[in-house]
Amino acid sequence: MARSGVQAARTRKPTATRTYQVLEIPDMSGGLDLRRSPTLLATNRARVLRNYSLTTPGELPVRLGYTAYSTTNLGSSKAQGGRRIYLASTQFTLLAWGGNVYRPPDNGAQSSVIEYSTLSDTAAVFFPYDRTLVAVMDGANRPRKSTGDTTWTRMGIDASTGRSSASSVSSGSLSASEFEFTFSYKDRGTGHESNISTLVSTRTLGATGAMQLQVPNSSDAQVDAIVLYARNKTAGEAVLRKVSSGVMSTGASSTFVIDSSAWSANDEAPTNHNVPGAHKFAIFWKNRWWAPSSSIGNRLHFAEIFQNQSWPTLFFIDIPFERGDSITAVIAQGDTLLVFGQNKVFLIIGQTSLDFEVRPSAGAQAGALGLRSVCAIENGILHASADGIFIFDGASDKYLSFDIEPGWRDLVQRTAAADLAQIDMVYHFPYKEVRIAVPRLYPRGTAGEWVLDLNRTREAETPAWTDTDRSIGGYILWDGNEPTVGARGRLLTWDSTGGRLFEESTGTTANSSNMVAEYEGPHLTMGLNRARFIDLHGEYEPHSGAFTVEVVVDNLSQGQQSITIGSGLAQYGSTTYGTAQYSGAGRRKLYTPLPIGAEGRTAWLKTSYSGQDAFKQFTYALGLVPENAVLQFSE
């Protein structure tokens, strides 16, 4: 993105007479700039913007708060994953914590009922889904699936390791021939069936009749039917084809009778319905599921077309990564599937569901830290890497984190690789914000968020960043077909140190506690001249809460001053003098004199708001009297 011109705020010529002057900051909402020297910041940029919003140019409001979504805290460790699920006819939320899967209801009263409980209790958990089912993947166990109810069964069906037994029956129209029989297991709810048993039953009829088969039943709870396959070896049939299917009966085996050989045009027996491996995550694209191998770092497996539970052994692509890269994230954009390593991006182009082409991305400069550190926005794919935050537009990367580069470098250098891989990113489209939850936020060294305001970025043609003090482990965005009015766009988070969900961007409190917002503006420099800083002027919108201002001159604080900002104060537009009413729009002016020792070459303002209201700042100015000449000695 093109960068707008940056100018430091300066007085008029320092050789001017010793008269009172005013240095004004007319706009405080330009975003963070940690890269430049504080004395070179543009007047609308800031060194600290914590818990403020950049949504409206010209004003600096405290960002929306958050509230507890669930009433139950599952424990002191953070959740392993969560997602809003949209199947063909239902929607719900899933949360993984402590190796278990929970389903928080939409009313927010967290259920403590465990739906599934054999996950790894340490690995990150991902919930891929399509229109028919949702799966749970942890990279250590075979995926489980649900079709929307609370029952979880293995993804895919194992073929039988036994064989059926065949015996002759007198009544039937089977010819006197040698026959071969086998079978598969089927889930009638999803229509999926396993591979056939590799052990076949062979039987020769001496005369016209039928065959009775005793088929061993499956112990898999999802299996409720058995499909029979056969071929006439005497007639030269080389392929086993479907004969019939029937409901699996109770007991150790089910009995079926085959009395006709009219199967020559029927479906072939399935041999590529292999079950999926222990994948870390998956994505649905081009009518197939795609998932990285659990053992080979650069291998990407994909399912059979229209068969989300069939993963043929040879259906994979080895991505030609360099420098020891392995697959960290996969995301789809139209006809392109982007496969990220730690350092590079490869593109899989698929104009149809049957033809794919792998291409390196020459314009991409970096990869992705983990499976949740990528997200799609209106005009590209955002990805967070060790080199910074980039947007990929299909051809090349653009660097977005220049202004917060010191903070991102501090994060990467001082955080364990396993924690970097858990960094989560979400595009909260109602507010046009990209939020990135990080375990270490510069300069405090505690967990927090980087927030990129896309509207302000587009308007100013330079990335507009703020940060928050939210300690977030991950995001759950409601971004699908929600039947409830106003539900689309809700954003849930789980805490980085607890098993509880919160709803973001709602209300004006920090879950009924005070929101704390901090600002530090550009350092206003006099150059070689010294100045006596006289007073501070400012504008704000009256609200409840506590507001303090602190002017710092040459790194020496002039003390914190509490400003009365109560909502009961008279406002412009509400106060009358005689019969006239002063004009205005709910703005008030603050004024405070500075100590007599406020003298130096550089000054800047720090502010802090603590409260539970929608407080706003607009502008401020420092009054000063400069020296009329440069000192003629060294200090």
Side-chain angles (χ1 to χ4, degrees), residues 10-203:
R10 294 180 179 275
T11 62
R12 296 173 181 174
K13 285 187 176 183
T15 55
T17 58
R18 293 175 58 86
T19 58
Y20 180 81
Q21 302 180 29
V22 174
L23 272 179
E24 184 180 4
I25 303 296
D27 181 12
M28 307 167 66
S29 61
L32 286 169
D33 190 343
L34 307 180
R35 182 69 178 82
R36 297 177 184 277
S37 168
T39 58
L40 293 179
L41 296 188
T43 56
N44 66 340
R45 309 302 289 278
R47 293 288 292 175
V48 175
L49 272 179
R50 183 149 296 124
N51 291 328
Y52 279 111
S53 172
L54 307 180
T55 52
T56 305
E59 63 183 45
L60 193 64
V62 176
R63 68 180 297 106
L64 292 173
Y66 61 94
T67 59
Y69 176 81
S70 55
T71 57
T72 302
N73 188 357
L74 298 173
S76 58
S77 59
K78 76 173 182 179
Q80 298 169 263
R83 196 172 188 185
R84 185 69 171 171
I85 308 302
Y86 298 94
L87 304 184
S89 59
T90 186
Q91 54 283 318
F92 50 92
T93 302
L94 293 176
L95 181 71
W97 181 89
N100 306 319
V101 174
Y102 300 86
R103 187 179 302 215
D106 288 358
N107 63 10
Q110 169 69 56
S111 172
S112 58
V113 176
I114 298 174
E115 286 199 0
Y116 180 65
S117 60
T118 60
L119 296 172
S120 165
D121 59 0
T122 58
V125 173
F126 193 67
F127 294 99
Y129 66 90
D130 58 18
R131 288 184 59 85
T132 60
L133 61 84
V134 56
V136 55
M137 295 181 174
D138 62 3
N141 298 285
R142 178 171 161 186
R144 266 30 180 198
K145 73 174 189 306
S146 171
T147 56
D149 56 18
T150 58
T151 301
W152 291 81
T153 55
R154 286 179 290 188
M155 192 174 184
I157 301 175
D158 292 303
S160 174
T161 57
R163 61 156 52 94
S164 60
S165 60
S167 58
S168 301
V169 179
S170 59
S171 60
S173 59
L174 286 180
S175 60
S177 303
E178 181 183 11
F179 295 94
E180 190 174 81
F181 305 97
T182 189
F183 61 95
S184 68
Y185 295 133
K186 184 176 181 178
D187 174 7
R188 292 182 299 169
T190 62
H192 179 68
E193 63 178 288
S194 71
N195 283 333
I196 56 173
S197 172
T198 56
L199 301 176
V200 298
S201 300
T202 302
R203 184 79 178 184

Side-chain angles (χ1 to χ4, degrees), residues 25 31 41 94 104 141 183 226 254 296 309 421 436 520 564 627:
I25 303 296
L41 296 188
L94 293 176
N141 298 285
F183 61 95
I226 293 175
S254 299
I296 302 175
Q309 298 187 70
I436 308 171
E520 179 183 330
T564 302
E627 290 180 330

Side-chain angles (χ1 to χ4, degrees), residues 347-581:
L347 311 178
I348 300 179
I349 311 297
Q351 295 185 1
T352 70
S353 301
L354 302 173
D355 185 18
F356 305 105
E357 181 181 357
V358 180
R359 297 179 183 176
S361 174
Q365 302 177 40
L369 292 171
L371 63 96
R372 296 190 179 102
S373 60
V374 297
C375 72
I377 63 173
E378 294 98 333
N379 58 344
I381 301 295
L382 280 173
H383 55 108
S385 71
D387 300 330
I389 302 165
F390 297 84
I391 181 171
F392 183 75
D393 61 6
S396 62
D397 268 336
K398 294 182 181 179
Y399 187 44
L400 297 180
S401 55
F402 177 84
D403 291 331
I404 60 169
E405 183 180 332
W408 197 260
R409 186 166 57 244
D410 173 79
L411 167 72
V412 172
Q413 291 177 349
R414 297 173 181 267
T415 305
D419 293 330
L420 290 175
Q422 299 304 313
I423 288 177
D424 203 346
M425 176 189 296
V426 69
Y427 171 45
H428 196 198
F429 53 83
Y431 300 95
K432 298 300 182 287
E433 288 183 337
V434 175
R435 303 176 62 163
I436 308 171
V438 294
R440 180 183 176 87
L441 188 69
Y442 179 84
R444 295 188 172 187
T446 56
E449 290 179 297
W450 294 111
V451 181
L452 176 64
D453 189 294
L454 295 183
N455 277 345
R456 190 59 192 263
T457 296
R458 185 178 295 110
E459 181 179 84
E461 297 185 349
T462 187
W465 291 94
T466 59
D467 63 52
T468 81
D469 59 4
R470 295 285 290 119
S471 177
I472 290 175
Y475 301 98
I476 302 175
L477 179 61
W478 294 26
D479 59 350
N481 182 24
E482 294 286 349
T484 304
V485 175
R488 179 174 165 82
R490 295 178 73 181
L491 180 64
L492 307 184
T493 60
W494 63 85
D495 193 81
S496 62
T497 57
R500 189 179 186 184
L501 291 176
F502 294 86
E503 183 167 2
E504 302 293 318
S505 300
T506 180
T508 58
T509 72
N511 193 30
S512 299
S513 298
N514 287 346
M515 289 285 289
V516 177
E518 299 176 0
Y519 166 85
E520 179 183 330
H523 295 196
L524 310 177
T525 177
M526 302 298 105
L528 295 177
N529 292 69
R530 296 176 66 85
R532 162 79 170 89
F533 293 92
I534 307 297
D535 47 23
L536 170 69
H537 306 260
E539 278 190 298
Y540 64 92
E541 185 175 274
H543 286 281
S544 62
F547 182 60
T548 62
V549 297
E550 178 185 5
V551 175
V552 182
V553 178
D554 285 357
N555 283 322
L556 181 63
S557 172
Q558 304 304 306
Q560 291 187 347
Q561 303 293 322
S562 295
I563 306 298
T564 302
I565 58 169
S567 57
L569 297 174
Q571 303 175 21
Y572 294 119
S574 65
T575 301
T576 59
Y577 181 79
T579 58
Q581 187 178 66

Side-chain angles (χ1 to χ4, degrees), residues 300-316:
L300 186 66
H301 292 272
F302 55 94
E304 182 63 86
I305 185 172
F306 300 121
Q307 297 186 35
N308 48 23
Q309 298 187 70
S310 300
W311 296 72
T313 303
L314 298 180
F315 279 31
F316 65 82

